[in-house]
């Protein structure tokens, strides 16, 4: 399998390249507007790419989506989209593109996070309205979006478990009592944290916490490479970790 890494010079792009070498996967080329030295051909944009690739792995930024999808659609190339911070309009673009090419999209490429999401859904269904839910996430000080895409993914999974709509509240400020229908979202930024997420359930005189900690970025890189291997044999459509891990 020959891959193109979008965002090849970023932290995750470099991790994907390193893990690909260890897994015997060929990095045909990369795209990054801020180039550094690489062992493979590197281009500032998709228009310049010359190599033929089997799959794109994207760990870039939301503002690079147009170039990514234009290239993928014109070359009928499957895409593993791991970037976060997309607008509603951009998510619609991705959905529309998946009608023509295979697209794998996840805010987090960790198998452990996929399990955490399932456990959070199960806990919410079992505990019901007797427990208040708060989500806490922590990342390195260079991360641009907050709350993280993973925290938003957890929120959406949890809110769908309830009959009554749940409201996303980012942080807490001022003099105001917590409402029953709220799910708090708290983002911490500092240092070199690869990624930590916790879903906390506060009930009458007891508390349950579900936690996941990524100790190294290679967790996400390996997950994206496994997703690419899964995706290249699929027909056009939208795929997630649930499809790859058969969690549906």
């Amino acid at each position: 399998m020959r891959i193109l890494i979008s965002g090849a010079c970023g932290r995750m792009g470099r991790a994907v390249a390193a893990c690909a070498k260890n897994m015997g996967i060929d990095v045909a080329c990369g795209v990054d507007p801020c180039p550094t030295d690489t062992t493979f051909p590197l281009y500032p944009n998709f228009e310049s790419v010359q190599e033929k690739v089997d799959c794109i792995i994207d760990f870039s930024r939301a503002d690079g989506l147009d170039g990514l999808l234009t290239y993928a659609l014109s070359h009928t190339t499957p895409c593993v989209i791991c970037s976060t911070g997309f607008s509603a309009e951009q998510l619609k673009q991705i959905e529309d593109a998946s009608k023509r090419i295979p697209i794998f999209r996840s805010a987090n490429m960790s198998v452990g996070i996929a399990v955490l999401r399932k456990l959070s859904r199960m806990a919410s269904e079992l505990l019901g309205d007797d427990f208040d839910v708060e989500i806490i996430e922590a990342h390195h000080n260079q991360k641009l979006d907050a709350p993280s895409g993973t925290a938003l993914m957890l929120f959406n999974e949890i809110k769908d478990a309830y009959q009554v709509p749940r409201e996303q509240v980012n942080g807490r400020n001022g003099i105001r009592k917590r409402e029953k229908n709220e799910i708090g979202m708290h983002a911490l930024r500092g240092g070199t944290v690869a990624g930590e997420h916790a879903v906390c359930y506060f009930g009458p005189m007891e508390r349950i916490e579900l936690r996941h900690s990524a100790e190294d970025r290679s967790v996400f890189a390996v997950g994206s490479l496994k997703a690419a291997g899964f995706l290249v044999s699929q027909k056009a459509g939208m795929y997630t970790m649930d499809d790859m891990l058969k969690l549906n």
Side-chain angles (χ1 to χ4, degrees):
M1 181 173 63
R2 288 166 56 82
I3 63 168
L4 181 160
I5 304 175
S6 175
C9 299
R11 288 181 177 87
M12 282 309 309
R14 294 195 300 269
V16 171
C19 291
K21 182 178 180 180
N22 294 335
M23 295 169 67
I25 296 171
D26 181 20
V27 180
C29 60
V31 171
D32 200 301
C34 302
T36 58
D37 291 336
T38 62
T39 58
F40 46 84
L42 186 67
Y43 301 100
N45 51 55
F46 278 94
E47 290 87 347
S48 306
V49 173
Q50 301 176 17
E51 283 74 15
K52 178 175 175 54
V53 301
D54 300 309
C55 191
I56 299 168
I57 295 180
D58 173 52
F59 273 107
S60 59
R61 292 168 35 154
D63 57 13
L65 181 65
D66 287 344
L68 168 69
L69 291 182
T70 297
Y71 175 89
L73 289 169
S74 63
H75 292 80
T76 322
T77 307
C79 294
V80 179
I81 299 179
C82 313
S83 300
T84 58
F86 294 114
S87 66
E89 181 180 351
Q90 288 176 313
L91 291 175
K92 179 65 164 54
Q93 284 181 265
I94 296 171
E95 184 69 34
D96 289 344
S98 73
K99 297 172 184 175
R100 297 169 54 189
I101 58 174
I103 291 181
F104 189 111
R105 192 178 83 83
S106 177
N108 192 299
M109 296 307 301
S110 159
V111 171
I113 283 291
V115 174
L116 174 64
R117 183 166 52 82
K118 284 295 181 182
L119 291 174
S120 299
R121 174 66 177 256
M122 184 185 303
S124 300
E125 291 174 344
L126 292 171
L127 297 173
D129 293 333
D130 290 336
F131 284 71
D132 299 318
V133 186
E134 301 279 305
I135 298 171
I136 305 169
E137 56 98 346
H139 285 85
H140 56 87
N141 57 20
Q142 299 300 301
K143 185 169 177 61
L144 296 177
D145 54 316
S148 69
T150 301
L152 293 172
M153 180 174 65
L154 291 168
F155 167 79
N156 287 322
E157 189 76 24
I158 291 166
K159 77 170 184 177
D160 289 344
Y162 294 100
Q163 299 297 319
V164 178
R166 287 296 192 264
E167 177 186 357
Q168 177 184 326
V169 175
N170 295 329
R172 299 205 175 274
N173 185 40
I175 303 172
R176 184 178 70 85
K177 185 181 74 171
R178 186 192 196 282
E179 299 296 331
K180 194 66 181 174
N181 68 333
E182 295 178 356
I183 295 179
M185 301 277 277
H186 309 278
L188 311 180
R189 295 290 177 268
T192 58
V193 180
E196 295 182 1
H197 294 84
V199 182
C200 306
Y201 295 87
F202 298 89
M205 296 172 287
E206 59 180 335
R207 179 172 69 188
I208 298 171
E209 293 186 10
L210 302 175
R211 289 183 171 272
H212 177 271
S213 295
E215 298 178 0
D216 189 273
R217 289 184 179 85
S218 62
V219 168
F220 312 121
V222 169
S224 71
L225 290 162
K226 287 182 178 179
F230 162 81
L231 197 64
V232 292
S233 62
Q234 305 302 318
K235 62 183 181 180
M238 184 70 75
Y239 299 90
T240 68
M241 292 292 283
D242 285 3
D243 299 303
M244 187 174 77
L245 299 175
K246 297 185 170 133
L247 294 175
N248 290 317

